[in-house]
Amino acid sequence: MIITTHSSLQVCENLDKTLPRIRNMSKPFDVLVIGELNIDLILNELSATPKIGAEVLANEMNLTLGSSSAIFAANIASLGLKTSFLGKVGSDLFGRFTMEELRKGNVDTTSVLIDATTKTGATIVLNEMEDRANVTFLGAMANLKMTDIPFELFDQFHHLHISSFYFQTGLKEDIGYIFQSARKAGLTTSFDMQWDPLEKWEINYDQILPHVSIFLPNELEIIHSTKSRSLPEAVNKIKDLCEILTVKMGVRGSIMYSMGNSIEHPSYHNPKVIDAIGAGDSFNAGFIYAFLKGYPVDQCQKLANIIGAISTTMAGGTTAFQKKVSFRL
Ligand SMILES: Nc1ncnc2c1ncn2[C@@H]1O[C@H](COP(=O)(O)OP(=O)(O)OP(=O)(O)O)[C@@H](O)[C@H]1O
Ligand SMILES: [Mg+2]
C-alpha cells in the first residue's frame, strides 16, 4: 500500500487485503462522533517557557479546529468515511469557525447544537518541541447532556466514537449507557479517554468498557486512571473488560491487546516532526478506518501508527489531512 498526503511523509506498507467484515451498506453514514468542540489557538516557537508574572514571544500562531473529537472526525472523514458530529457550540465567532472547519473537512454538522446561553470552548496551546501546555475554557463543551442525544439517530451509523471523557462534564456519567445503547443498535464503538485536566482520574471502567469495542488511551492516561505504577499493571487491570485495547506511546509507537494476545508496533520515523498535536486522534482515525473496512486488528494498528506519524508532519491535528489522503492498495 502507498499512502500519499500533501505532507512530507510517504509510507509504503503491505496491508493484508482480506476484508472479512461485511458492512450493511444501506446506512447513510459510517461514523458518529459524540463529543466536545472547541478552537485551538496554537502558539509555536516560544522565546522561553512561559511563567506567571513574565511575558514571552511566540514566533508563529495558528487558529485551528481543536478538540480531540473534532480532529478525529475530520481525519476519519478525510480517509473516506461518511462522518457526522453531535456536539454543542455557542452562538459566536468560534462556534461558526468550528462548524465551518468541520464542514470543510466533509463532516456532517446537522446534529451540532447551537446554545446561545454559553460560549464555544477554546484551548490556548503553548507548543514546545514535541509536547505542549494547554489551557482550556470548557464553555459549551460542558453543556452537552445525554438528553441532547436522539438515540434513534444511531440507526443511521455503523460506528460510535467518544473522546475526552473528563472534558464532557455533562455527559461523562452517562457514557457507559450511551455506548451500551449504540451496541444494542448494532454499532461498534470506540473510546479515547484523553487527559484529566483536574488529574483526579476518576472513571468507572466496569460501567463503560464492556460496551466498548476499541479502547484507545495513551500510556500515561491508562496508568493514572487505573491507579497503577506501570503499564503492565494497568493493562492487567482492564484488558479483559473490552474487546481491543490499544495503548499509544508517542514516538515509541503502540501496543495492542486483543483476544489474549499483545502486539507491539514501533512508530514510523518522521525525520522532521512539526508537532504531535492530534497524533493520538489521527492514530484513532487510522485504526477505526481500517477496523470498519474489515482489516485484521494487527493491520488496523499498523495503519493507525502510519496515520499518527503523518499527523506529526504538519502543524496542528488536521493540517496533514486537509487534502484527501489517497490509498493505493
Ligand atoms: N514523533 C512521532 N513520530 C512518529 N510517529 C509518532 C510520533 N508521535 C506520535 N506518533 C504516532 O502517533 C501515535 C499517537 O501519538 P501519541 O502517543 O502522542 O498519542 P496521544 O498521547 O493520545 O496524543 P494526543 O495528544 O493527540 O491525544 C503513536 O502511537 C505513534 O504511532
Ligand atoms: Mg490522546
Side-chain angles (χ1 to χ4, degrees):
M1 176 184 67
I2 299 178
I3 298 184
T4 318
T5 66
H6 72 312
S7 77
S8 55
L9 196 76
Q10 289 218 349
V11 180
C12 301
E13 266 292 346
N14 289 321
L15 287 193
D16 186 337
K17 288 180 199 153
T18 37
L19 301 175
R21 203 168 292 118
I22 297 164
R23 312 297 311 176
N24 165 10
M25 298 311 285
S26 64
K27 295 192 176 191
F29 291 102
D30 297 305
V31 179
L32 174 64
V33 182
I34 298 179
E36 83 293 3
L37 283 171
N38 69 276
I39 59 101
D40 274 354
L41 182 66
I42 305 168
L43 302 175
N44 278 318
E45 300 171 31
L46 305 182
S47 58
T49 303
K51 290 189 194 74
I52 299 296
E55 185 155 355
V56 302
L57 294 178
N59 273 333
E60 188 58 68
M61 179 181 83
N62 287 296
L63 178 67
T64 65
L65 178 65
S67 98
S68 165
S69 299
I71 292 170
F72 169 83
N75 291 352
I76 201 161
S78 76
L79 293 176
L81 294 188
K82 284 176 274 159
T83 305
S84 183
F85 204 99
L86 195 162
K88 207 174 250 190
V89 292
S91 173
D92 52 25
L93 187 65
F94 287 167
R96 287 191 289 283
F97 175 81
T98 305
M99 302 264 279
E100 209 174 291
E101 289 298 300
L102 282 173
R103 285 189 210 115
K104 270 195 230 161
N106 270 329
V107 177
D108 169 70
T109 57
T110 48
S111 296
V112 175
L113 304 161
I114 300 170
D115 180 350
T117 66
T118 184
K119 295 174 191 163
T120 303
T123 298
I124 309 295
V125 182
L126 302 170
N127 203 23
E128 269 199 333
M129 304 299 289
E130 288 173 32
D131 222 331
R132 61 260 177 204
N134 294 354
V135 184
T136 294
F137 167 69
L138 286 178
M141 285 188 257
N143 285 11
L144 185 67
K145 305 213 165 55
M146 190 165 73
T147 46
D148 292 319
I149 302 171
F151 279 65
E152 63 280 5
L153 194 68
F154 291 165
D155 292 338
Q156 300 182 26
F157 294 88
H158 294 298
H159 186 87
L160 170 66
H161 181 78
I162 300 182
S163 184
S164 303
F165 178 77
Y166 296 105
F167 284 82
Q168 310 211 53
T169 50
L171 202 63
K172 69 184 176 51
E173 300 309 323
D174 299 313
I175 278 178
Y177 180 78
I178 296 166
F179 276 134
Q180 185 178 22
S181 307
R183 290 278 287 255
K184 274 193 191 143
L187 283 73
T188 49
T189 54
S190 52
F191 179 47
D192 183 343
M193 67 192 314
Q194 297 287 11
W195 194 254
D196 177 6
L198 301 179
E199 299 196 27
K200 290 185 180 159
W201 299 103
E202 282 159 7
I203 184 166
N204 188 337
Y205 275 131
D206 290 328
Q207 262 176 22
I208 298 172
L209 291 189
H211 313 297
V212 170
S213 316
I214 309 144
F215 180 40
L216 303 135
N218 76 18
E219 192 174 13
L220 283 179
E221 290 155 2
I222 188 176
I223 290 174
H224 288 313
S225 63
T226 55
K227 320 282 181 217
S228 303
R229 273 162 303 180
S230 67
L231 183 59
E233 185 189 337
V235 164
N236 275 333
K237 286 183 185 167
I238 61 165
K239 73 173 171 10
D240 296 328
L241 287 177
C242 58
E243 286 168 39
I244 301 167
L245 166 64
T246 307
V247 181
K248 292 168 279 187
M249 303 187 300
V251 74
R252 286 180 294 122
S254 60
I255 184 158
M256 181 182 60
Y257 304 84
S258 167
M259 315 266 287
N261 298 316
S262 73
I263 305 176
E264 196 160 348
H265 198 294
S267 71
Y268 288 84
H269 178 59
N270 172 11
K272 195 165 177 279
V273 173
I274 301 297
D275 67 49
I277 295 169
D281 308 310
S282 305
F283 177 100
N284 298 346
F287 196 105
I288 308 303
Y289 171 86
F291 181 78
L292 291 177
K293 289 286 175 188
Y295 285 99
V297 286
D298 59 317
Q299 310 286 308
C300 300
Q301 186 189 12
K302 194 183 258 190
L303 187 69
N305 276 298
I306 293 172
I307 301 298
I310 289 173
S311 162
T312 65
T313 60
M314 300 195 98
T318 55
T319 321
F321 306 97
Q322 272 167 7
K323 279 191 190 157
K324 199 166 163 31
V325 181
S326 59
F327 291 83
R328 211 166 75 219
L329 295 168

